[in-house]
C-alpha cells in the first residue's frame, strides 16, 4: 500500500515537473493557444511526449521504449499518433492543392486607371530616400546625441508611414546591450527617430513619457510577451512601430485569421494597438481600424496573397505544368503614399521570370484593397541597370525605384547613390521605353531633363490630358542660389505669393532678366517652389514702379491643354520608398 502511495506521489511530482518545464517553454516561446497555430500543436505534442517520457522512466529501463510492455508509452503513442494524423490531414486539406479556387479569391484585384488614381503631389511629398539611406541618417543623428549614444541605438524597423500628410520613417531607440538595459530599464526608452523622406530632415523626438514596451525589453515588458499575456489566443503577425497624429508611439499588432481549413488562407482579422509608453491596448476588427494606422497588413502577406491569385488563376495543375496565364510579383517592392494610406507597390511579371512587366499592383496596407494596372514595360531591376548605365563612370548604384506619373507617362524615379550610401543624383526612366533615361543633380533638374526627353522623343501614352500653366507678370523679387552645384533663380511676381524656381543650367536666358522686368513663362505648380519649364515672350525693361501703376503688367494664370508631343511635366505621382 505504501509502495503504491509512494509511486503515486512520484508520478504526481513528475507531472508537476513537466508542467513547470512546459510553463518555462511557454514563457520563452509564447505560442498562441489556438488550434490554427502550428506552433501550438507542436507545443501540445511535445508536452505529451515529455510527460510520457518522465512517467515511463520510473518503469523498468528495458520497458521504457517497448510499447508492448509499457502501458504509459502505449497510451502516449496512441495520443501522439492521433494528434499527428489530425495535424497532417489538416495541412493537406488546408493546402492550395485541394483549395486552389479559394486561395485565388483571397485577394481579388480591381482594374485601376493609372492617370485617374494617382493624384498630383508636390516635390516636397516625394520621398527621395530609401530605407538604407534613412538608416544612415538615423545613425548619424544618433551619433551626435552625446547624452544618449552610449546607452541607446536606433532600432532597425524604420517603418514608413504618413504623418500629417508627409511620408516619414520612424524607428524606436533600443538598449545598446543587456547591460545598458539593466541600468536604464527603470527609466525606459526616452525617444524615437523620425526621418522626413522628402526633405531628409532627421529628428530625434524626445518623449515626455518614455517608451516602456518594446522589442528590446526583457521579461514582461517585452512587447510580444505583453501581448501574449493579454491575448493568449491571438496569433500575431509582423508588428509595426507607428505614431499617431499627436506623435504618440504605438505598436500596430495585426492578428492572423485563417480562412481555409486549419492552417490555410491567412489574412488579417483584427488589429491590436498597443501604446508603447503605457502598455494600454485597444482591440479592433480590421474593418474598424483607425484611419491613422498605415500598416495593418504586412507587405509580405499582401504579396503572398497576390501570388496565390496570379499563379492559381487557372487552377493548381496549370500552375505546376502548363502555367498558362500565370503571373507573379517581381522580387522588389516599395511603399506608396496615397489617399492618406500606405500602399504596397510592385511590378507583375510572368512566372517565366522574363525581363519585362505586364503591369503593376497597388495594395492598401490598411484595407487590403488591391488595384491592378495593365501597363507593360521594363521590370524595376532592368530600369535600375539602365539608370546605372548613364553614370557608369561614377559607379553609382540605383535604389529601388519609385513610381511617378510624369505627363501621364508611368515613370520610374530613383536615387543614385555612391558606395557610402549617400544620394548623389536622381534618375527618371520611362516604364515602357526604359532606354529613355534622364539624370539630374536635383529632383527639379531631373524632371526638367526628363520632360525635354519626352518631347524630343515623341513618347506619349495616347491618352495625354495633362495641362501646363502659363503666367505673365512683373518680377517683384529675384534671388540667386546654388543647389548641389547648380545655379538657380527664385522669382516672385508682383501680386502673387508663389515662388518660381528657374534652373540656369536649363534656362540660361533667365540671366537677362532683372527686378522690374515683365516676363512670361510656363511652370509646374508645386509647394514650396513652382518649377519653371520654359521662358517665353519679349523682355520689357522698365523701372520698378514706386506706386501702383494703372497700366502695369498684371499677372495672369491660365490653363492650357498641352498636345501630347509637348506635354508639360504635370507631376502626378505617388511617393514610394523601400521597405
Amino acid at each position: 500500500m505504501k509502495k503504491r502511495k509512494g509511486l503515486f506521489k512520484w508520478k504526481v511530482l513528475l507531472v508537476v515537473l513537466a508542467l513547470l518545464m512546459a510553463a518555462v517553454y511557454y514563457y520563452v516561446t509564447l505560442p498562441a493557444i489556438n488550434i490554427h497555430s502550428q506552433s501550438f500543436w507542436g507545443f501540445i505534442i511535445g508536452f505529451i511526449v515529455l510527460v510520457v517520457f518522465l512517467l515511463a522512466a520510473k518503469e523498468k529501463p528495458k520497458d521504457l521504449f517497448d510499447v508492448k510492455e509499457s502501458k504509459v508509452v502505449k497510451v502516449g503513442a496512441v495520443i501522439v499518433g492521433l494528434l499527428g494524423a489530425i495535424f497532417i490531414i489538416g495541412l493537406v486539406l488546408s493546402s492550395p492543392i485541394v483549395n486552389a479556387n479559394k486561395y485565388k479569391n483571397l485577394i481579388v484585384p480591381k482594374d485601376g486607371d493609372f492617370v485617374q488614381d494617382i493624384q498630383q503631389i508636390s516635390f516636397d511629398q516625394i520621398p527621395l530616400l530609401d530605407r538604407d539611406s534613412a538608416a544612415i541618417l538615423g545613425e548619424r543623428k544618433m551619433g551626435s546625441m552625446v547624452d544618449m549614444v552610449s546607452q541607446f541605438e536606433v532600432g532597425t524597423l524604420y517603418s514608413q508611414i504618413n504623418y500629417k500628410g508627409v511620408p516619414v520613417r520612424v524607428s524606436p531607440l533600443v538598449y545598446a546591450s543587456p547591460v545598458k538595459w539593466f541600468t536604464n530599464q527603470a527609466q525606459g526608452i526616452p525617444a524615437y527617430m523620425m526621418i522626413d523622406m522628402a526633405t531628409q530632415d532627421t529628428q530625434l523626438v524626445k518623449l515626455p513619457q518614455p517608451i516602456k514596451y518594446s522589442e528590446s525589453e526583457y521579461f514582461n515588458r517585452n512587447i510580444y510577451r505583453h501581448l501574449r499575456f493579454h491575448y493568449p489566443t491571438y496569433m500575431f503577425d509582423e508588428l509595426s512601430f507607428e505614431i499617431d497624429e499627436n506623435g504618440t508611439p504605438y505598436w500596430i499588432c495585426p492578428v492572423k485569421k485563417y480562412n481555409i481549413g486549419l492552417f490555410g488562407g491567412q489574412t488579417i482579422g483584427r488589429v491590436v494597438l498597443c501604446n508603447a509608453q503605457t502598455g494600454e491596448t485597444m482591440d479592433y476588427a480590421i474593418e474598424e481600424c483607425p484611419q491613422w494606422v498605415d500598416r495593418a497588413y504586412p507587405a509580405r502577406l499582401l504579396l503572398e496573397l497576390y501570388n496565390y491569385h496570379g499563379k492559381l488563376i487557372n487552377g493548381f495543375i496549370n500552375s505546376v505544368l502548363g502555367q498558362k496565364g500565370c503571373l507573379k510579383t517581381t522580387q522588389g517592392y516599395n511603399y506608396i503614399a496615397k489617399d492618406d494610406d500606405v500602399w504596397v507597390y510592385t511590378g507583375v511579371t510572368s512566372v517565366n521570370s522574363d525581363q519585362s512587366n505586364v503591369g503593376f499592383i497597388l495594395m492598401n496596407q490598411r484595407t487590403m484593397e488591391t488595384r491592378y494596372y495593365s501597363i507593360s514595360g521594363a521590370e524595376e531591376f532592368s530600369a535600375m541597370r539602365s539608370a546605372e548605365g548613364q553614370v557608369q563612370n561614377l559607379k553609382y548604384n540605383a535604389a529601388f525605384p519609385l513610381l511617378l506619373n510624369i505627363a501621364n507617362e508611368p515613370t520610374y524615379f530613383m536615387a543614385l547613390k555612391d558606395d557610402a550610401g549617400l544620394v548623389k543624383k536622381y534618375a527618371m526612366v520611362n516604364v515602357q521605353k526604359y532606354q529613355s533615361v534622364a539624370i539630374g543633380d536635383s529632383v527639379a533638374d531631373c524632371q526638367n531633363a526628363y520632360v525635354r526627353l519626352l518631347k524630343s522623343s515623341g513618347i506619349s501614352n495616347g491618352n495625354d490630358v495633362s495641362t501646363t500653366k502659363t503666367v505673365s507678370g512683373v518680377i517683384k523679387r529675384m534671388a540667386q542660389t546654388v543647389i548641389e552645384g547648380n545655379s538657380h533663380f527664385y522669382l516672385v511676381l508682383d501680386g502673387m505669393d508663389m515662388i518660381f524656381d528657374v534652373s540656369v543650367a536649363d534656362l540660361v536666358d533667365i540671366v537677362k532678366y532683372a527686378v522690374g522686368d515683365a516676363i512670361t513663362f510656363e511652370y509646374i505648380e508645386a509647394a514650396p517652389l513652382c518649377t519653371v519649364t520654359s521662358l517665353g515672350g519679349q523682355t520689357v525693361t522698365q523701372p520698378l514702379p514706386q506706386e501702383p501703376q494703372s497700366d502695369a503688367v498684371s499677372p495672369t494664370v491660365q490653363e492650357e491643354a498641352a498636345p501630347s508631343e509637348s506635354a508639360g511635366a504635370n507631376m502626378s505621382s505617388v511617393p514610394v520608398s523601400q521597405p
Side-chain angles (χ1 to χ4, degrees):
M1 188 69 177
K2 291 183 178 180
K3 185 177 181 181
R4 289 183 178 180
K5 286 184 178 181
L7 182 61
F8 176 77
K9 290 181 179 180
W10 180 251
K11 289 185 177 182
V12 170
L13 181 61
L14 291 176
V15 172
V16 171
L17 177 61
L19 289 173
L20 289 175
M21 295 174 66
V24 172
Y25 178 84
Y26 179 84
Y27 188 83
V28 174
T29 61
L30 302 173
I33 304 175
N34 193 306
I35 63 171
H36 295 290
S37 171
Q38 295 186 29
S39 60
F40 178 67
W41 282 78
F43 173 74
I44 292 298
I45 292 175
F47 175 73
I48 293 173
V49 171
L50 176 63
V51 171
V52 169
F53 180 84
L54 291 176
L55 293 178
K58 188 61 180 173
E59 300 180 7
K60 297 178 181 180
K62 67 175 183 177
D63 297 334
L64 180 57
F65 298 107
D66 189 342
V67 177
K68 294 181 180 180
E69 297 294 334
S70 174
K71 294 181 180 180
V72 173
V73 174
K74 184 184 297 185
V75 172
V78 171
I79 296 175
V80 170
L82 181 61
L83 291 176
I86 296 174
F87 180 80
I88 294 173
I89 293 172
L91 283 177
V92 174
L93 295 181
S94 304
S95 69
I97 299 175
V98 294
N99 296 284
N101 193 56
K102 292 181 179 179
Y103 273 90
K104 181 190 71 175
N105 293 324
L106 285 172
I107 195 167
V108 180
K110 299 179 180 178
D111 290 335
D113 186 308
F114 180 76
V115 175
Q116 296 297 323
D117 288 353
I118 299 176
Q119 302 299 315
Q120 179 176 347
I121 66 169
S122 58
F123 283 163
D124 63 342
Q125 292 178 292
I126 302 174
L128 308 180
L129 302 173
D130 60 7
R131 185 188 179 283
D132 293 338
S133 297
I136 291 174
L137 292 179
E139 291 298 330
R140 288 183 175 179
K141 183 68 175 181
M142 193 65 203
S144 66
M145 308 302 294
V146 294
D147 58 329
M148 294 186 187
V149 67
S150 64
Q151 304 298 311
F152 300 96
E153 299 174 348
V154 185
T156 59
L157 291 177
Y158 285 103
S159 304
Q160 180 167 325
I161 63 172
N162 291 333
Y163 178 62
K164 297 183 177 179
V166 176
V168 301
R169 284 189 181 266
V170 290
S171 191
L173 300 188
V174 298
Y175 300 106
S177 68
V179 174
K180 306 300 183 183
W181 167 81
F182 184 78
T183 57
N184 290 281
Q185 59 89 22
Q187 292 77 31
I189 297 172
Y192 61 83
M193 194 70 68
M194 180 169 66
I195 302 172
D196 189 315
M197 302 298 288
T199 65
Q200 305 185 32
D201 179 41
T202 305
Q203 301 179 52
L204 184 68
V205 181
K206 296 184 178 180
L207 297 165
Q209 184 178 356
I211 293 174
K212 289 292 186 73
Y213 297 86
S214 71
E215 293 178 322
S216 65
E217 290 284 353
Y218 297 91
F219 304 111
N220 288 4
R221 272 173 33 188
N222 178 274
I223 183 60
Y224 298 102
R225 193 164 289 113
H226 178 71
L227 291 170
R228 174 57 62 234
F229 291 161
H230 278 75
Y231 304 95
T233 64
Y234 280 9
M235 297 171 291
F236 291 101
D237 207 315
E238 178 183 323
L239 271 57
S240 175
F241 181 82
E242 296 191 27
I243 56 176
D244 65 10
E245 294 302 304
N246 297 319
T248 304
Y250 279 87
W251 291 99
I252 311 303
C253 316
V255 181
K256 297 178 182 180
K257 176 185 178 183
Y258 287 93
N259 302 276
I260 303 173
L262 277 178
F263 310 117
Q266 183 211 323
T267 56
I268 300 298
R270 308 189 66 82
V271 60
V272 174
L273 310 186
C274 180
N275 187 308
Q277 297 169 302
T278 65
E280 179 185 1
T281 60
M282 294 164 283
D283 185 9
Y284 296 94
I286 189 63
E287 299 82 8
E288 300 171 356
C289 184
Q291 177 71 35
W292 64 265
V293 173
D294 291 319
R295 299 168 66 96
Y297 282 86
R300 168 201 51 77
L301 174 62
L302 291 174
L303 296 176
E304 180 180 290
L305 292 176
Y306 181 81
N307 282 332
Y308 281 135
H309 177 83
K311 294 179 180 179
L312 299 173
I313 193 69
N314 292 315
F316 179 79
I317 295 177
N318 179 74
S319 70
V320 177
L321 300 179
Q323 297 185 327
K324 181 180 179 180
C326 294
L327 301 173
K328 67 176 182 179
T329 59
T330 52
Q331 292 184 358
Y333 66 91
N334 250 323
Y335 299 111
I336 293 177
K338 181 181 180 313
D339 303 330
D340 199 31
D341 280 325
V342 173
W343 298 62
V344 175
Y345 149 77
T346 188
V348 176
T349 185
S350 69
V351 295
N352 295 322
S353 300
D354 53 26
Q355 299 299 309
S356 62
N357 287 344
V358 298
F360 63 89
I361 52 174
L362 300 181
M363 295 171 285
N364 191 307
Q365 285 198 276
R366 184 173 60 87
T367 66
M368 201 175 72
E369 178 185 355
T370 302
R371 300 178 187 177
Y372 174 76
Y373 301 86
S374 180
I375 300 175
S376 60
E379 54 94 24
E380 294 88 343
F381 291 97
S382 295
M384 291 165 63
R385 288 191 293 269
S386 182
E388 291 170 348
Q390 295 292 312
V391 290
Q392 58 182 333
N393 58 312
L394 300 174
K395 298 182 179 180
Y396 292 160
N397 299 311
F400 194 85
L402 300 75
L403 183 70
L404 304 181
N405 183 342
I406 309 293
N408 291 341
E409 281 293 321
T411 302
Y412 290 130
F413 172 78
M414 64 199 78
L416 298 173
K417 303 186 294 182
D418 61 15
D419 291 337
L422 301 177
V423 176
K424 294 298 184 181
K425 291 181 180 291
Y426 303 96
M428 289 185 179
V429 181
N430 189 268
V431 171
Q432 295 172 305
K433 297 183 179 180
Y434 72 101
Q435 299 89 348
S436 300
V437 182
I439 305 293
D441 293 323
S442 66
V443 179
D445 290 342
C446 184
Q447 182 206 8
N448 291 336
Y450 183 71
V451 170
R452 291 196 300 270
L453 182 63
L454 292 180
K455 292 179 179 180
S456 62
S457 59
I459 297 175
S460 173
N461 62 5
N463 296 300
D464 196 346
V465 295
S466 65
T467 60
T468 60
K469 291 187 176 181
T470 301
V471 64
S472 298
V474 174
I475 300 176
K476 181 180 179 181
R477 296 176 184 172
M478 192 172 187
Q480 185 178 7
T481 187
V482 177
I483 301 176
E484 297 180 354
N486 296 311
S487 294
H488 290 249
F489 280 94
Y490 292 158
L491 309 181
V492 177
L493 301 186
D494 193 18
M496 299 187 71
D497 294 329
M498 293 185 290
I499 302 174
F500 300 95
D501 178 15
V502 185
S503 171
V504 177
D506 298 324
L507 303 169
V508 69
D509 284 350
I510 189 62
V511 300
K512 300 177 181 178
Y513 292 82
V515 172
D517 288 350
I519 190 172
T520 299
F521 53 80
E522 294 182 349
Y523 70 96
I524 302 166
E525 186 173 2
L529 299 174
C530 299
T531 301
V532 176
T533 58
S534 65
L535 296 174
Q538 294 182 346
T539 302
V540 180
T541 304
Q542 60 182 32
L544 183 65
Q546 301 299 318
E547 297 179 359
Q549 302 294 321
S550 59
D551 58 348
V553 179
S554 59
T556 58
V557 179
Q558 59 188 17
E559 299 281 350
E560 297 182 351
S564 60
E565 66 269 14
S566 60
N570 181 20
M571 176 166 278
S572 298
S573 63
V574 276
V576 295
S577 187
Q578 275 195 321

